[in-house]
Amino acid sequence: MDINQRPHLMKLVFTLSGVAFVCVLILLIANQMTHRQIADNARLQQLRIIDAVMPIPHDNALYDDTIKVIDPQYLGSENSVTVFRARNADQPIGLVLMPVTAKGYSGNILLTIGIAYDGTLLGVQVLKHQETEGLGDGVDQNKSDWIKVFTDHSIVKPPVEAWTVKTDGGEFDQLSGATITSRSVINAVRKSLEYYQINRDNLYLDQSNTEN
Amino acid sequence: MKNFFSPLFDKDMVITVLGICPLLVAATNSVTAVTMGMVALLSLILINIIVSGMRNIISYDLRITIIIFVSATLVNVIHLCMQTWFYELSLVLGIYIPLIAMNCLVLANAEEYALQNNVLNSFLYSLKVGIGMVFLIIVVGMFREITGYGTVLQQSELLVGDMARSWKMTLLNGDSGLPFFKSAPGAFFVLGLVIALTNFMDTRTEHPTSP
């Protein structure tokens, strides 16, 4: 390297480090000032979704009465699922599973499912999805009302063989143009109801000894 | 045939179209369009001002790196602010806000104009470019909302608060909108229509006598 270039190079290194340092500093300060509020916002959003699928009045601290379970076969993912238990006068009245994973048309769809003690579905909400804009994104409760088709159903109503879209001879309307998405969400909801049926008594216990 | 495509060979036009495309994808209704446009306008102006203010310490070899540093930092700060004050709206817009950091309209403006001009001129220039961009995004967003959903001003509560829930007006009944316009290709289709319309009006004014 030409010896004359060295001062120039040093200047480049100096400028770049300086700018990078200032940028990092600004980002650190901005993050410091906002992260608490953002975490609160995220939690509020989550609580709103939990409330939406647990309409039955309860007197315990629903958000803190939780256990974590893992069941890839029924709940769709290797990751743990949080179970929020609702009780009234110490009697279990229902629970919320979050997040249950459905294999969507493009990537996973994360669902929150509320189930009453007797196994009736209280509601389903979508936490996160990447479905096609204008077609599959109708699963999102903010985009269409389709997700409400599940309310008041249970594993025996309709019978298991009718737990699919109408094109497959089932009971549920599909989202127009998004049969794969609808089928997968219906499947995921049915499986979590089956999971609930099998594990119901364990799910309301205090210890997290349900991880089988 | 070359004449027909001539706007696409014009360098400014290519940058504008490429720069505006990622912004348009997120603009599925008038509210997201306004937000997206405003955030992009704010980033464009601030990045131009900062780069222009730093132009004497930025050496030629480092100009791209430093512009990207500045724009990434700034857009990140804006994204953090959005998550603080408009959390749900930032969820709706998702990845498209952080993507502004690498928007070529923003980067090209900073490189081609702000590096050579003083702060005031850079500010005015980016304002001029940005307002045209915001206008285009809002036109496309509104068009897509009307044709895709059949509504006007849906989701405005995300931007203004709960009192805006009643602002939503339904023009077409139920699900009679065309899903194509809600999808990303629909945005490019609408942009194409807008470009065609401007070209048509340009030719009319340039050659008023031709049929």
Side-chain angles (χ1 to χ4, degrees):
Chain A
M1 182 189 287
D2 188 347
I3 194 79
N4 291 330
Q5 280 186 343
R6 189 158 288 168
H8 178 59
L9 194 68
M10 284 308 289
K11 195 181 155 237
L12 290 192
V13 171
F14 187 74
T15 327
L16 198 55
S17 328
V19 172
F21 180 75
V22 173
C23 289
V24 168
L25 211 64
I26 292 173
L27 281 178
L28 266 178
I29 295 170
N31 185 46
Q32 204 60 38
M33 282 165 66
T34 54
H35 78 278
R36 201 158 292 139
Q37 182 65 42
I38 293 174
D40 283 355
N41 289 346
R43 188 169 160 79
L44 257 172
Q45 173 84 3
Q46 219 180 53
L47 300 188
R48 213 172 304 149
I49 287 181
I50 293 174
D51 284 340
V53 296
M54 182 48 71
I56 307 180
H58 45 83
D59 62 2
N60 68 326
L62 172 66
Y63 312 135
D64 298 320
D65 191 352
T66 64
I67 53 167
K68 289 197 184 297
V69 296
I70 299 178
D71 196 320
Q73 197 195 337
Y74 283 105
L75 301 177
S77 116
E78 304 282 338
N79 300 329
S80 68
V81 175
T82 308
V83 185
F84 298 83
R85 285 93 53 95
R87 303 169 201 273
N88 206 354
D90 283 337
Q91 288 303 304
I93 56 168
L95 51 74
V96 176
L97 297 170
M98 176 161 110
V100 172
T101 310
K103 294 265 176 289
Y105 184 70
S106 49
N108 289 335
I109 304 172
L110 299 185
L111 305 167
T112 303
I113 301 176
I115 306 170
Y117 184 72
D118 63 3
T120 311
L121 263 179
L122 295 172
V124 182
Q125 297 269 294
V126 175
L127 281 177
K128 200 175 166 194
H129 72 92
Q130 299 137 33
E131 298 306 290
T132 320
E133 192 84 35
L135 297 171
D137 72 342
V139 286
D140 194 330
Q141 56 275 1
N142 298 319
K143 298 278 171 85
S144 84
D145 282 342
W146 178 79
I147 204 80
K148 289 184 183 155
V149 297
F150 292 114
T151 313
D152 290 337
H153 286 78
S154 72
I155 197 64
V156 289
K157 178 191 159 198
V160 175
E161 60 274 13
W163 264 89
T164 181
V165 292
K166 280 188 177 151
T167 12
D168 299 348
E171 166 90 10
F172 297 99
D173 284 326
Q174 61 261 34
L175 270 170
S176 53
T179 314
I180 295 176
T181 311
S182 322
R183 203 180 278 152
S184 130
V185 171
I186 293 169
N187 240 330
V189 173
R190 175 180 59 83
K191 278 194 176 160
S192 49
L193 284 174
E194 284 172 359
Y195 175 81
Y196 179 77
Q197 202 180 24
I198 297 167
N199 296 292
R200 180 169 83 176
D201 296 330
N202 287 333
L203 286 175
Y204 289 103
L205 294 179
D206 277 337
Q207 290 78 28
S208 50
N209 55 358
T210 45
E211 296 187 15
N212 39 28
Chain B
M1 206 58 188
K2 178 130 195 288
N3 253 351
F4 183 67
F5 285 115
S6 64
L8 290 178
F9 292 124
D10 183 12
K11 196 171 155 227
D12 287 349
M13 187 69 182
V14 173
I15 288 174
T16 318
V17 170
L18 285 183
I20 230 164
C21 280
L23 305 176
L24 287 180
V25 172
T28 47
N29 60 44
S30 29
V31 174
T32 48
V34 169
T35 318
M36 206 61 210
M38 286 305 163
V39 173
L41 177 69
L42 189 67
S43 332
L44 180 70
I45 291 176
L46 288 179
I47 289 166
N48 270 284
I49 289 176
I50 294 173
V51 168
S52 161
M54 290 167 67
R55 71 188 185 283
N56 291 326
I57 65 157
I58 301 178
S59 57
Y60 184 78
D61 300 319
L62 284 179
R63 67 196 194 288
I64 303 285
T65 322
I66 289 185
I67 289 172
I68 289 177
F69 268 33
V70 170
S71 81
T73 310
L74 217 111
V75 172
N76 246 312
V77 171
I78 293 177
H79 191 216
L80 286 174
C81 293
M82 271 204 74
Q83 285 178 304
T84 309
W85 293 306
F86 300 101
Y87 187 73
E88 282 176 64
L89 199 54
S90 79
L91 287 187
V92 172
L93 292 173
I95 187 69
Y96 295 105
I97 297 284
L99 269 183
I100 294 175
M102 293 305 292
N103 188 296
C104 64
L105 184 67
V106 173
L107 297 182
N109 263 307
E111 198 216 332
E112 286 178 359
Y113 197 88
L115 273 182
Q116 274 111 43
N117 291 278
N118 64 29
V119 175
L120 184 67
N121 281 344
S122 304
F123 168 70
L124 293 175
Y125 182 76
S126 55
L127 195 67
K128 195 185 109 199
V129 174
I131 284 179
M133 173 190 77
V134 171
F135 180 71
L136 189 54
I137 295 174
I138 292 176
V139 166
V140 173
M142 286 197 81
F143 188 88
R144 287 176 75 193
E145 184 178 357
I146 293 169
T147 49
Y149 295 92
T151 62
V152 180
L153 289 176
Q154 62 161 321
Q155 289 187 326
S156 40
E157 71 273 9
L158 296 182
L159 192 61
V160 207
D162 276 337
M163 64 168 195
R165 256 171 222 287
S166 53
W167 290 4
K168 176 178 165 179
M169 284 176 278
T170 309
L171 302 179
L172 308 168
N173 286 334
D175 286 335
S176 51
L178 292 170
F180 172 70
F181 286 109
K182 299 186 217 167
S183 64
F188 302 143
F189 184 80
V190 177
L191 179 65
L193 287 182
V194 174
I195 293 176
L197 187 69
T198 30
N199 281 352
F200 176 69
M201 298 206 315
D202 278 355
T203 32
R204 289 300 282 281
T205 43
E206 275 167 26
H207 315 285
T209 47
S210 68

